[in-house]
Amino acid sequence: MNKIIKVFNTQNLLADFFAKEILKKAESIPKGEYLTIAFSGGSTPKNVFEFVSKNYTDKIEWEKIKIFWSDERCVPPDDEQSNYKMAYDSLLKNISIPEENIFRIFGESEPSKEVLRYKFKLKGNITLMDEIPSFDIMMLGLGDDGHTASIFPIHISQFSSDDICIHTQHPVTGQDRITLTGKVINNSKNVYFFVTGKEKAKIASEILNENNSNKIYPASLVEPTEGNLFWLLEKGSATAITIYPTSYQDK
Ligand code: 6PG
């Protein structure tokens, strides 16, 4: 695993860096093949989608990209809680991506049935590495409790599930969720954490600073075996990290 910690002066600089990552990777994809991306929910990914929507709609070859989700709330696709709806409203409705390249999780379906369907779609559309789907790009947010995707500290053992995708619940609201597990997340070629805001400074430092017993958080278990792990931090969330970032981008 190659860990890269990048601190950005603003959310837009963070978003622009990621947009250029997608642009670059899509350009290198041979005709007829696809760049596979797992979208995440969360406010920072939403900001990234909005930035891409404003600045990169005509630059990225969307027809070369297949979009999945790292997790979803078990709600209909038009529900304000839906990660799909967030991505549709902030990006998908503004780009020319073929409908068949979008693989949302059917939050409206019975969860155990949807887990089976989504697993079938993952295995049928994502390159396998050691027989496990291996995403080119895995987007993840960081909850201030250290959760990522929909794997929460109280259920941290789910990260190490033998299954690639599971049905779980939000520990406070009880909301049904469907989420990828560590088996897929750590099989990704590139994982990107998106972290902004001073309210995330504590959890980010607990996970990134080497001197913390940091394996109590699901996010701290994200270590793509053969891949790159990018921590993209807006400066407000990076105030308490003591290890030196790989780079600081201030313009
Ligand atoms: C979800 C996300 C979740 C999110 C974090 C961070 O479905 O809510 O997958 O893991 O990324 O909670 O969210 P914020 O960036 O909004 O704090």
Side-chain angles (χ1 to χ4, degrees):
M1 175 187 78
N2 177 28
K3 190 190 284 189
I4 304 106
I5 298 171
K6 295 180 81 69
V7 178
F8 299 85
N9 227 6
T10 66
Q11 283 210 50
N12 282 351
L13 284 170
L14 184 159
D16 192 58
F17 169 80
F18 183 65
K20 288 187 168 76
E21 289 285 290
I22 299 177
L23 180 70
K24 196 173 51 179
K25 289 172 173 25
E27 282 175 343
S28 67
I29 295 284
K31 198 148 180 57
E33 293 182 26
Y34 293 95
L35 180 74
T36 57
I37 305 179
F39 275 5
S40 165
S43 56
T44 308
K46 181 172 186 286
N47 174 274
V48 171
F49 296 151
E50 288 167 343
F51 181 90
V52 171
S53 205
K54 282 196 197 88
N55 300 284
Y56 282 84
T57 41
D58 303 331
K59 295 176 186 166
I60 292 173
E61 296 169 275
W62 298 104
E63 70 283 358
K64 292 172 129 179
I65 296 175
K66 283 186 176 179
I67 295 173
F68 289 75
W69 274 260
S70 53
D71 71 319
E72 184 57 282
R73 292 84 179 278
C74 294
V75 294
D78 59 355
D79 187 297
E80 285 309 316
Q81 286 273 327
S82 163
N83 287 339
Y84 166 77
K85 182 179 191 303
M86 182 274 275
Y88 180 80
D89 289 346
S90 53
L91 176 62
L92 299 180
K93 69 182 182 185
N94 301 323
I95 60 174
S96 53
I97 183 166
E99 193 57 36
E100 62 270 20
N101 287 23
I102 298 173
F103 297 82
R104 72 177 180 90
I105 298 171
F106 291 175
E108 67 277 27
S109 296
E110 198 282 316
S112 55
K113 285 204 179 70
E114 178 52 17
V115 164
L116 293 175
R117 187 199 70 86
Y118 195 59
K119 284 199 291 192
F120 178 76
K121 290 295 180 187
L122 286 165
K123 291 182 176 172
N125 291 278
I126 307 286
T127 312
L128 301 179
M129 190 163 73
D130 303 328
E131 296 174 19
I132 303 290
S134 175
F135 277 93
D136 295 306
I137 292 178
M138 174 68 61
M139 293 180 72
L140 293 174
L142 174 68
D144 50 16
D145 63 352
H147 81 261
T148 193
S150 281
I151 299 182
F152 296 85
I154 193 171
H155 301 133
I156 190 166
S157 61
Q158 290 177 341
F159 189 87
S160 315
S161 165
D162 279 340
D163 230 332
I164 61 171
C165 176
I166 59 170
H167 165 212
T168 184
Q169 285 81 28
H170 188 285
V172 175
T173 65
Q175 183 184 55
D176 284 310
R177 301 279 186 100
I178 289 171
T179 185
L180 299 183
T181 65
K183 214 168 182 68
V184 178
I185 291 170
N186 282 345
N187 207 39
S188 303
K189 299 176 184 63
N190 299 279
V191 179
Y192 297 80
F193 269 109
F194 296 85
V195 192
T196 55
K198 59 183 185 313
E199 69 282 356
K200 298 289 173 70
K202 181 175 181 301
I203 188 67
S205 68
E206 286 192 45
I207 292 173
L208 288 174
N209 293 349
E210 299 305 324
N211 58 350
N212 282 280
S213 56
N214 62 9
K215 296 300 181 195
I216 58 172
Y217 303 114
S220 59
L221 301 179
V222 175
E223 298 179 315
T225 321
E226 309 280 325
N228 298 311
L229 174 59
F230 290 88
W231 278 85
L232 306 183
L233 300 139
E234 173 271 337
K235 70 179 175 192
S237 65
T239 50
I241 58 171
T242 51
I243 50 171
Y244 199 72
T246 315
S247 74
Y248 183 89
Q249 203 157 336
D250 56 4
K251 55 185 180 303

